């Protein structure tokens, strides 16, 4: 702990590692959920499954890549700082909406 008025020292530990792993775990969870859902949809509507795969898989890959990029950008600087931008949370949100939309279509189209 520093003196009042001095900049805070970076906290020791693995916070950045845990955060990166959490983002990657979330992206992988959505990816696996999307793959299972695509397999279910492919039995009844193959065209919809192919179209959804063309959207879902690149978004999942993008989210994973953003998580890795965020981790590597944090390695260079050991000072606490806010997130670079909201791209990663927006990507996770987009992925969740796409998976939920496909699941809803699957349930409603039966």
């Amino acid at each position: 702990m520093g003196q009042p008025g001095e900049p805070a020292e970076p906290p020791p530990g693995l916070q950045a590692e845990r955060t990166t792993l959490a983002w990657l775990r979330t992206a992988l969870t959505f990816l696996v959920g999307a793959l299972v859902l695509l397999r279910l949809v492919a039995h009844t509507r193959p065209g919809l499954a192919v179209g959804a795969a063309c959207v879902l898989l690149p978004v999942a890959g993008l989210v994973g890549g953003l998580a890795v990029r965020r981790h590597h950008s944090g390695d260079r600087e050991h000072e606490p700082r806010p997130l670079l931008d909201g791209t990663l949370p927006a990507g996770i949100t987009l992925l969740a909406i796409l998976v939920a939309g496909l699941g809803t279509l699957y349930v409603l189209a039966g």
Side-chain angles (χ1 to χ4, degrees):
M1 184 156 214
Q3 299 294 325
E6 291 182 4
E9 294 182 20
L14 300 173
Q15 292 88 354
E17 297 287 333
R18 286 193 306 258
T19 302
T20 300
L21 290 175
W23 282 113
L24 287 175
R25 192 171 43 245
T26 302
L28 287 174
T29 300
F30 278 112
L31 177 64
V32 169
L35 290 174
V36 169
L37 193 55
L38 289 171
R39 181 163 169 83
L40 291 173
V41 171
H43 285 289
T44 56
R45 299 185 187 268
L48 177 63
V50 170
C54 290
V55 175
L56 285 173
L57 299 180
V59 171
L62 176 70
V63 168
L66 287 172
V68 170
R69 185 188 78 165
R70 180 185 178 279
H71 175 68
H72 288 300
S73 69
D75 280 346
R76 284 181 259 144
E77 301 171 13
H78 295 289
E79 297 179 11
R81 58 180 172 73
L83 289 174
L84 297 175
D85 56 17
T87 308
L88 186 55
I92 289 287
T93 302
L94 176 64
L95 193 58
I97 289 171
L98 290 173
V99 170
L102 183 62
T104 302
L105 280 175
Y106 176 71
V107 169
L108 293 178

